[in-house]
Amino acid sequence: MTVSTQTVSTIQFPYKRTLGPVMGRFFSELTARRIVGIRSGERVIVPPMEYDPETGNELARDFVEVGPAGTVRSWTWVAEPIESHPLERPFAFVLIRLDGADTDMVHVLDAGAEDAVYTGMRVAPRWRDEPVGRIDDIVCFVPGERAEAPEGEPGEAREVTTMEYFSTITYTDVLSPTLVRYASNLRAGKLTGQRCPRCNRVFLGRGYCSVDAIRLGPELDEDLPDRGVVSNYTIVTPTPYPGQKETEPFARASVVLEGDEMVIAQQQILDLPVSEIRVGMRVRAEWMPEAERDAAEITSKGWGTVAGFIKGWRPTGEPDEPAEQYMNRVF
Amino acid sequence: MTTRQKAGETRETAVRQDSDIAIVATAQLPAVRRQELTETEMLLMVVDEALGKVDLERSDIGFSCQGSCDYISGGTFSFVPNLDAMGAWPPIHESHVEMDGAWAMYEAWVRLRHGDIDIAVAMGSGKSSTGDPAAIYPLELDPYYLAPLGLDPVSLAALQARQLIESGKSTERELAEIAARSRRDAAGNPNQQVRAAEQDVDKLLAEGYLRNPLRKSDLPPISDGACAVVLVRGPRAAELTERPAWITGIDHRSEVHNPALRDLTDSASTRLAAARAGGVAGVEVAELMAPFTAQEVILRQSLGLADGVLINPSGGALTGNPLMATGLVRIADAAEAILADGRSRTLGHATSGPALQQNLVCVLEGDNR
């Protein structure tokens, strides 16, 4: 049976950052449609930094209003913007030397066409309708000397102390040949590992021995029993966080497969109150129905997970193994 | 007497000093667009190969350090499974840098300087194929002023290249010549990814811009790959290999993180690092980590490399760019110029951060027999 050899995952990073007194001032001024730099010796640095880039010395908070117009010092044309770019139509990334500044600022230029852009051209900001204190309160720069802004005078600057930045990245993970074989076998209801010829331990879904650092090929494949013994467990009282689905205390157990070889961690024990879980308890895998088996959680970054194939483990009712013999089998 | 030395044979300078450190072996996987093996499996292979070249076992290693990046691999603590490449037993001291393997090598070099261990392994690995570099790259930029603009690496390199050209320090033709030369050199190097691409300068110049003034040939490929080097202290180095690549100087320096505040046409940090690493006089081969053609010009001019110096005879980062390993590959190739090709003085360079923000220079020497 074949499985997809790719897994796709999207990771999102919702950052919230404190701005501090220097960048905080810059972003606060943007809310009043003003751009400020900071004095560093004879120079004015825009956007401002806390320290002198040459010496590392902290700068006195001597802010200077600059711009709003400036001169393009370098540019490149983005003919096909991607999702993370600020404009959806073709635009230029530019280095701009704002009037009154001694350093350049990176921003974007909405110039319509590539052949309209040149080094030395004069540009001015297009302001967002309702500034929030972010660098993209300047939506972009536009050709000319005059800033574009909504009607009316801007209000007083609002104090901005934090900034949010949301990043989202999608990864496509191509499974290694070992993982493809592992996932195919799981889909068929079989747990397969490879036995290390040196230490005799069996490893699930890795293709190498973690102890001896030896690659383990398909010739070392071995079907493993889907029965085992609880070697360790923890009871978790859920506190809410994004993605948390549990509401009541739940257990996560480590299961040593029969034969005392491989430990599968973070497993659910089914149909048993958490207070009755014990080390030494014998359990058997409860497989997902064949149609629901899903390899999405098998990735090249994991260590032989069974998520998506085994729902959990059910006590067999047989007498426990002596707990003492699992004291060294935490993971 | 060293194990490889025949009776009666003497070496002029078999060991410079006990505290000196040499690269005695290197290994790299060919850079490819998509590698199916996991990063751990990739590292297993390069560590096996590098150790095998000098008949060492993992149990001989006193310290190991890896360079990799969670954002590139898309997993938290991705270096933890990568540690399996060293094996859990016997236990050794391990470390990790969230940077190119060149910086892992720097840490391994510092660790060896303590004097209590003789052998260290440094590694770098990365699989750029899993994510989109244009989406990941802004996360290394200033998160306040630059990241929200979605400034991608190619656009930033184009802003730098335009300033270089408009300042008169280079021309589009020179950039195309660098691309052509890199591709010609890569054609003979099975470790490089871009080996059969167009090499004619005029044809390259006739291609359209991807980001004006950069064409596709001015850009690196998206690569997966891994590299490992074995570092050994003084007496042991000369026992393990005929002609160790002695690290006679290594230094890294960084500049202000916001590229718009720098002179993008110069690399002051590279110049300073090279001076601190012993200077470029007498260097025969320079492996410079220049993923964009214009960056090679900037590095060469900043270092003041003479016309006769062979630059990136491997094909360089323009023809194979496994992120987090590219810099270590440069140093490994510079070391191989001594270990395998008999050169006397070479230079390996690695860069990190936006538009050549941070730079590491490693000067290597072989002893003449």
Side-chain angles (χ1 to χ4, degrees):
Chain A
M1 193 176 287
T2 59
V3 295
S4 166
T5 58
Q6 291 189 349
T7 54
V8 178
S9 53
T10 296
I11 299 177
Q12 300 183 316
F13 306 95
Y15 293 109
K16 184 173 187 174
R17 292 187 170 97
T18 304
L19 295 170
V22 174
M23 282 181 287
R25 174 71 184 270
F26 175 81
F27 288 112
S28 298
E29 293 288 343
L30 290 184
T31 65
R33 294 185 217 144
R34 281 194 299 265
I35 305 172
V36 298
I38 192 167
R39 223 178 273 286
S40 171
E42 298 298 302
R43 304 198 304 161
V44 174
I45 294 174
V46 182
M49 290 181 64
E50 288 100 342
Y51 57 91
D52 181 333
E54 307 297 330
T55 63
N57 293 332
E58 189 174 350
L59 294 173
R61 288 169 204 159
D62 184 2
F63 296 98
V64 186
E65 187 172 350
V66 296
T71 304
V72 170
R73 306 260 298 176
S74 186
W75 61 273
T76 187
W77 187 251
V78 181
E80 292 173 20
I82 58 174
E83 207 172 321
S84 47
H85 285 151
L87 297 181
E88 288 177 6
R89 57 186 171 279
F91 70 96
F93 274 115
V94 281
L95 288 174
I96 298 169
R97 182 72 55 97
L98 290 172
D99 296 345
D102 295 287
T103 62
D104 297 334
M105 184 167 94
V106 177
H107 218 288
V108 300
L109 171 66
D110 187 12
E114 182 171 8
D115 57 14
V117 189
Y118 57 96
T119 301
M121 80 186 285
R122 295 286 295 167
V123 294
R126 172 182 291 155
W127 291 99
R128 187 207 291 264
D129 286 354
E130 287 168 23
V132 296
R134 274 174 57 106
I135 191 69
D136 50 9
D137 283 345
I138 303 170
V139 176
C140 58
F141 281 79
V142 292
E145 299 286 338
R146 287 176 53 84
E148 290 183 9
E151 291 296 313
E153 285 300 304
E156 282 300 296
R158 282 184 296 109
E159 194 185 358
V160 181
T161 57
T162 62
M163 187 192 105
E164 291 185 7
Y165 172 58
F166 190 80
S167 169
T168 176
I169 306 176
T170 296
Y171 295 89
T172 305
D173 194 26
V174 176
L175 297 186
S176 70
T178 301
L179 289 170
V180 171
R181 229 167 54 247
Y182 175 66
S184 301
N185 287 336
L186 282 173
R187 181 156 288 187
K190 269 195 312 185
L191 271 170
T192 312
Q194 290 87 40
R195 187 176 296 277
C196 173
R198 189 178 293 173
C199 68
N200 208 36
R201 290 180 179 86
V202 171
F203 295 90
L204 274 183
R206 293 183 207 192
Y208 54 84
C209 170
S210 298
V211 177
D212 296 303
I214 298 171
R215 294 189 75 196
L216 307 175
E219 71 283 359
L220 299 168
D221 275 0
E222 204 169 289
D223 287 344
L224 304 173
D226 62 354
R227 300 160 53 88
V229 175
V230 172
S231 64
N232 192 14
Y233 67 93
T234 182
I235 297 171
V236 182
T237 303
T239 49
Y241 61 84
Q244 169 66 275
K245 293 184 187 105
E246 309 277 356
T247 54
E248 297 302 314
F250 62 96
R252 287 287 178 268
S254 297
V255 175
V256 178
L257 296 184
E258 213 164 70
D260 193 29
E261 296 290 354
M262 181 70 206
V263 182
I264 305 181
Q266 300 279 327
Q267 298 300 296
Q268 284 201 69
I269 303 299
L270 305 170
D271 301 336
L272 193 72
V274 292
S275 59
E276 290 180 31
I277 296 178
R278 17 182 228 285
V279 172
M281 192 170 70
R282 297 173 68 90
V283 292
R284 149 163 247 151
E286 173 85 9
W287 291 80
M288 313 268 284
E290 209 164 330
E292 293 171 27
R293 290 176 195 167
D294 177 11
E297 295 195 46
I298 308 285
T299 75
S300 63
K301 290 171 281 292
W303 272 321
T305 182
V306 295
F309 295 93
I310 290 177
K311 200 183 291 176
W313 301 73
R314 200 179 294 284
T316 64
E318 295 162 275
D320 286 7
E321 291 280 325
E324 307 83 69
Q325 76 188 57
Y326 295 95
M327 285 304 141
N328 292 325
R329 306 301 301 267
V330 173
F331 289 113
Chain B
M1 187 168 32
T2 64
T3 52
R4 306 257 170 128
Q5 221 168 322
K6 293 189 185 77
E9 187 179 290
T10 53
R11 260 183 227 183
E12 249 178 83
T13 45
V15 172
R16 293 163 173 239
Q17 278 184 33
D18 284 2
S19 60
D20 280 341
I21 294 159
I23 296 174
V24 298
T26 81
Q28 57 184 283
L29 286 185
V32 292
R33 179 61 182 85
R34 190 180 295 284
Q35 170 63 260
E36 286 188 345
L37 298 179
T38 63
E39 264 188 57
T40 313
E41 291 174 297
M42 289 159 62
L43 287 169
L44 264 169
M45 291 172 73
V46 289
V47 172
D48 281 349
E49 186 187 336
L51 292 176
K53 285 180 174 177
V54 282
D55 296 328
L56 289 174
E57 303 282 339
R58 282 176 173 75
S59 54
D60 296 316
I61 301 170
F63 177 72
S64 83
C65 191
Q66 328 165 26
S68 67
C69 175
D70 280 0
Y71 281 127
I72 292 170
S73 64
T76 46
F77 298 104
S78 58
F79 60 91
V80 176
N82 287 355
L83 279 174
D84 280 354
M86 297 312 295
W89 192 265
I92 59 172
H93 292 283
E94 289 154 334
S95 187
H96 173 260
V97 295
E98 196 79 3
M99 288 186 82
D100 188 287
W103 276 264
M105 195 194 96
Y106 188 94
E107 184 176 333
W109 177 83
V110 170
R111 181 63 190 83
L112 284 169
R113 296 283 287 180
H114 287 275
D116 58 327
I117 58 166
D118 286 335
I119 299 172
V121 170
M123 298 162 268
S125 60
K127 290 182 72 173
S128 298
S129 62
T130 57
D132 176 4
I136 295 171
Y137 185 84
L139 294 172
E140 100 163 344
L141 297 174
D142 180 312
Y144 311 97
Y145 299 137
L146 298 180
L149 297 174
L151 183 61
D152 61 274
V154 181
S155 294
L156 181 53
L159 292 174
Q160 184 173 34
R162 175 173 308 284
Q163 288 205 317
L164 189 75
I165 291 167
E166 292 185 349
S167 69
K169 289 181 172 180
S170 188
T171 60
E172 286 188 40
R173 173 161 286 273
E174 185 186 26
L175 302 191
E177 284 166 355
I178 288 169
R181 190 209 68 226
S182 300
R183 290 169 172 203
R184 275 196 302 278
D185 289 337
N189 181 356
N191 289 326
Q192 295 301 92
Q193 182 178 342
V194 179
R195 293 202 300 277
E198 180 57 57
Q199 297 169 12
D200 183 86
V201 173
D202 290 314
K203 285 185 182 158
L204 291 179
L205 282 169
E207 289 177 4
Y209 295 121
L210 201 82
R211 288 277 194 283
N212 193 333
L214 298 182
R215 300 171 171 85
K216 195 179 173 195
S217 56
D218 296 303
L219 277 42
I222 294 173
S223 314
D224 293 352
C227 180
V229 302
V230 182
L231 301 174
V232 180
R233 274 185 91 241
R236 286 295 301 277
E239 288 170 21
L240 290 168
T241 191
E242 193 92 355
R243 195 159 174 273
W246 297 103
I247 297 172
T248 57
I250 184 167
D251 196 84
H252 67 112
R253 300 280 154 171
S254 68
E255 294 170 66
V256 61
H257 65 280
N258 188 335
L261 301 186
R262 282 186 257 137
D263 174 359
L264 292 178
T265 70
D266 188 24
S267 181
S269 53
T270 306
R271 187 162 47 245
L272 182 57
R276 298 292 180 124
V280 300
V283 164
E284 301 154 80
V285 174
E287 284 285 349
L288 307 176
M289 181 175 159
F292 298 94
T293 48
Q295 292 183 343
E296 182 184 303
V297 179
I298 294 163
L299 291 168
R300 195 185 65 220
Q301 292 180 355
S302 301
L303 287 168
L305 289 176
D307 284 347
V309 178
L310 268 181
I311 294 178
N312 294 344
S314 64
L318 271 172
T319 55
N321 190 33
L323 294 184
M324 303 300 128
T326 312
L328 187 58
V329 169
R330 301 282 72 75
I331 294 170
D333 284 346
E336 287 295 339
I338 289 168
L339 291 165
D341 301 340
R343 301 279 182 183
S344 295
R345 194 160 200 260
T346 67
L347 181 152
H349 159 268
T351 192
S352 183
L356 302 175
Q357 184 214 353
Q358 321 183 31
N359 293 282
L360 181 151
V361 173
C362 178
V363 177
L364 298 153
E365 285 181 16
D367 290 322
N368 293 320
R369 304 190 60 187

